[in-house]
Amino acid sequence: MTTVRMLAAVGDPEQGPTAADLAAIDAEMPVILAGVDLLDAEISVLDRAPTVLDEQRIRRARRRLLAARRDLANRTTAERPEVGA
């Protein structure tokens, strides 16, 4: 999510996002959506005891988020070899 934060701090609000900004956001979209799914699962059990299915849903959402983060990190490292070195 650091790319999105950097873009918000640097971008000119009157010009809108550049193509590079949109590409960076698009690259992080799987992580964002997986995070939203995890939040959905966690919010659904705030006011009640989680059932076995709820716990399963939360675990799956957490695994999806971790996989999306891993894929983004691997993709970033492949594009910029000096980052992972």
Side-chain angles (χ1 to χ4, degrees), residues 24-38:
I25 292 169
D26 191 44
E28 290 186 14
M29 192 54 68
V31 175
I32 294 167
L33 293 176
V36 169
D37 286 344
L38 178 58

Side-chain angles (χ1 to χ4, degrees), residues 9 26 29 31 39 46 52 57 67 75:
D26 191 44
M29 192 54 68
V31 175
L39 270 174
L46 282 178
V52 173
R57 181 179 174 210
R75 189 172 38 235

Side-chain angles (χ1 to χ4, degrees), residues 9-84:
V10 175
D12 182 11
E14 291 187 18
Q15 289 184 345
T18 65
D21 296 341
L22 294 175
I25 292 169
D26 191 44
E28 290 186 14
M29 192 54 68
V31 175
I32 294 167
L33 293 176
V36 169
D37 286 344
L38 178 58
L39 270 174
D40 260 357
E42 291 173 340
I43 288 170
S44 69
V45 297
L46 282 178
D47 61 343
R48 61 184 168 85
T51 65
V52 173
L53 291 176
D54 292 329
E55 291 172 358
Q56 220 175 37
R57 181 179 174 210
I58 292 171
R59 278 194 309 272
R60 286 181 182 157
R62 190 172 291 131
R63 283 194 302 261
R64 269 187 251 119
L65 178 59
L66 291 173
R69 286 180 177 171
R70 179 200 62 216
D71 293 343
L72 179 63
N74 288 341
R75 189 172 38 235
T76 303
T77 303
E79 292 171 2
R80 298 179 184 164
E82 70 276 0
V83 172

